[in-house]
C-alpha cells in the first residue's frame, strides 16, 4: 500500500520503519533532515515536501508533537492534497477538540479520518507493539485496522471521531493519579517501619493492587524490573505525563467533569517535571518528591 508518513521523531521513526518492514511503500516527511535520513535507512522513501507524502497516497499517518502541529499540517498539507476516499490516521496525542476539528475538515473533503493515539513508548514503537485507541466511523476503522496492526499489538475502536483521544487521556489521568498514590503509599509504609518488599508482597495480593505497583513499581529492587531499577530513566517521561494530564484537565473543563484526583495529579506532576529538568526522568521518579518532609 502507498502510505504517507509525516513526523518521524522518537515515535514516528520506528512506526514508519515498521510499515516499510511490513511491505508498504512509505513516503516519509519530517522537518528534520536527520529524521528523514534515518527513515531512508530504515526502508522508507524520504520526501522533501509534505505534499509529496500526501498526494497519490492511499493512507497518510501523522505523528506530531501537539494539537497545533496537527491542525497546521492538516490545514496546509493533508486536506489540500489528499484525494477523496484517502484514509488519514493521526496517531499523535492531542486535545479532543483539535482531533474533532481536523476530522471535520477531512470529512468535508470526502477524506476518511481516524484519531489513533497510542499507549506504549519508544521501545514499543520500535518493536511494533503499540496499543492504538481509535476514534472514527466503522468504515474508517475497518480500513485503519490492518495498517495500525502493522505497528502495534492491539487496535481498539473507542467510538466516533475524538473517542481515541478521549480514551487515551482518561487512561493516562488514571495512570498519573494511581502512580502518585502508589508512590506516597510506599513512602508512608517506609516511615511506618514496614519492609517495602513485605508490603509489596501483601498489597500486590490485596485490594490496593494496581498496575503502577505490580507492573511498574516505583521502588528500586521491588516488583518486576522497571525504570526505578535504572535510576528512573528509560520509561515514560514525566514531561509527557504532564502533557497528558494538562490535556485531561482541558477535556474535563470542556466536558464539565469534576476530577479532583486528576487535578491534584496534574499539579504534582507540574511541580515535579518543571523542577531541575526532572521532566526527562521517568514519571515514576515522582516518588523522590513525595512523602519526604
Ligand atoms: P518527537 O518530538 O520526537 O517527534 C515529533 C516529530 O515531528 C519531530 O521529528 C519533528 O521534527 C516533527 N514535526 C514537527 N512539526 C512538523 C511538521 N509541520 N511537519 C513535519 N514534521 C514535523 O515526539 P515523539 O516522542 O515522537 O511524540 C509524538 C507524539 O506521540 C506526541 O503527540 C506524543 O505525546 C505522543 N506519544 C509519545 C510517546 C513517547 O514515549 N515519546 C508515547 C506515547 C505517545
Amino acid at each position: 500500500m502507498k502510505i504517507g508518513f509525516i513526523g518521524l521523531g522518537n515515535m514516528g521513526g520506528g512506526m514508519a520503519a515498521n510499515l516499510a518492514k511490513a511491505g508498504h511503500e512509505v513516503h516519509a516527511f519530517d522537518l528534520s533532515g536527520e529524521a528523514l535520513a534515518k527513515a531512508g535507512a530504515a526502508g522508507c522513501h524520504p520526501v522533501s515536501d509534505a505534499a509529496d507524502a500526501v498526494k497519490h497516497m492511499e493512507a497518510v499517518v501523522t505523528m506530531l508533537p501537539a494539537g497545533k502541529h496537527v491542525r497546521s499540517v492538516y490545514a496546509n498539507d493533508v486536506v489540500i492534497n489528499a484525494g477523496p476516499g484517502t484514509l488519514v490516521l493521526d496517531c499523535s496525542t492531542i486535545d479532543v477538540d483539535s482531533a474533532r476539528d481536523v476530522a471535520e475538515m477531512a470529512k468535508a473533503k470526502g477524506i476518511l479520518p481516524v484519531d489513533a493515539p497510542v499507549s506504549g513508548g519508544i521501545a514499543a514503537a520500535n518493536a511494533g507493539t503499540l496499543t492504538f485507541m481509535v476514534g472514527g466511523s466503522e468504515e474508517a476503522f475497518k480500513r485503519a485496522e490492518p495498517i495500525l496492526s502493522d505497528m502495534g499489538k492491539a487496535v481498539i475502536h473507542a467510538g466516533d471521531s475524538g473517542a481515541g483521544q478521549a480514551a487515551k487521556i482518561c487512561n493516562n489521568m488514571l495512570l498519573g493519579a494511581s502512580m502518585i498514590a502508589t508512590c506516597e503509599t510506599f513512602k508512608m509504609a517506609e516511615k511506618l517501619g514496614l519492609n517495602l518488599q513485605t508490603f509489596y508482597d501483601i498489597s500486590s495480593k490485596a485490594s490496593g493492587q494496581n498496575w503502577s505497583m505490580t507492573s511498574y513499581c516505583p521502588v528500586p529492587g521491588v516488583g518486576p524490573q522497571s525504570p526505578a531499577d535504572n535510576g528512573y530513566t528509560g520509561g515514560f517521561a514525566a514531561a509527557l505525563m504532564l502533557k497528558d494530564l494538562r490535556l485531561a484537565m482541558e477535556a474535563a473543563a470542556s466536558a464539565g467533569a469534576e476530577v479532583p484526583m486528576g487535578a491534584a495529579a496534574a499539579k504534582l506532576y507540574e511541580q515535579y517535571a518543571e523542577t531541575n529538568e526532572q521532566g526527562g526522568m521517568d514519571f515514576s521518579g515522582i516518588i523522590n518528591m513525595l512523602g519526604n518532609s
Side-chain angles (χ1 to χ4, degrees):
M1 199 169 178
K2 268 180 123 169
I3 301 179
F5 204 112
I6 301 178
L8 308 163
N10 288 321
M11 298 291 290
M15 292 163 69
N18 283 326
L19 287 178
K21 221 182 277 168
H24 298 290
E25 186 181 316
V26 182
H27 295 246
F29 176 72
D30 195 289
L31 298 174
S32 147
E34 197 185 324
L36 275 181
K38 262 194 192 164
C44 302
H45 303 272
V47 296
S48 54
D49 190 333
D52 295 327
V54 180
K55 280 181 189 163
H56 315 300
M57 297 296 140
E58 293 161 81
V60 179
V61 181
T62 44
M63 191 54 165
L64 296 162
K68 64 178 181 192
H69 306 93
V70 175
R71 280 180 182 274
S72 148
V73 166
Y74 265 65
N76 301 321
D77 304 310
V78 174
V79 171
I80 290 173
N81 293 305
T86 308
L87 177 71
V88 294
L89 311 93
D90 180 42
C91 297
S92 329
T93 303
I94 65 170
D95 58 287
V96 177
D97 290 343
S98 293
R100 291 192 172 137
D101 288 349
V102 298
E104 285 314 312
M105 272 166 62
K107 284 178 198 164
K109 291 279 302 280
I111 297 165
L112 282 177
V114 294
D115 48 291
V118 306
S119 175
I122 300 163
N126 289 333
T129 55
L130 293 165
T131 294
F132 291 90
M133 299 154 237
V134 187
S137 67
E138 282 293 343
E139 184 193 357
F141 177 74
K142 250 190 211 138
R143 282 187 49 198
E145 192 178 20
I147 298 172
L148 297 172
S149 296
D150 286 335
M151 301 183 281
K153 63 169 189 224
V155 183
I156 301 155
H157 194 189
D160 216 336
S161 295
Q165 298 294 351
K168 159 93 187 176
I169 55 168
C170 284
N171 179 71
N172 278 19
M173 185 176 83
L174 181 56
L175 173 62
S178 72
M179 176 56 81
I180 290 170
T182 303
C183 289
E184 70 183 23
T185 299
F186 272 99
K187 281 289 189 183
M188 183 167 110
E190 190 175 38
K191 290 202 166 170
L192 289 171
L194 286 170
N195 173 285
L196 293 187
Q197 181 62 53
T198 306
F199 175 63
Y200 176 90
D201 292 342
I202 294 166
S203 195
S204 63
K205 290 180 191 65
S207 47
Q209 186 275 339
N210 70 88
W211 185 90
S212 295
M213 177 193 291
T214 50
S215 295
Y216 209 97
C217 190
V219 181
V222 176
Q225 186 78 15
S226 72
D229 301 307
N230 207 17
Y232 299 97
T233 60
F236 181 49
L240 287 174
M241 174 51 86
L242 176 58
K243 174 192 167 183
D244 292 355
L245 287 168
R246 283 178 169 153
L247 290 175
M249 291 310 101
E250 269 179 48
S254 136
E258 281 213 22
V259 288
M261 294 291 285
K267 228 181 200 169
L268 286 165
Y269 271 106
E270 188 169 288
Q271 211 177 315
Y272 178 65
E274 296 193 334
T275 309
N276 300 331
E277 298 182 0
Q278 291 169 145
M281 303 297 282
D282 181 73
F283 81 115
S284 62
I286 199 166
I287 193 170
N288 296 317
M289 187 186 88
L290 297 169
N292 288 328
S293 58

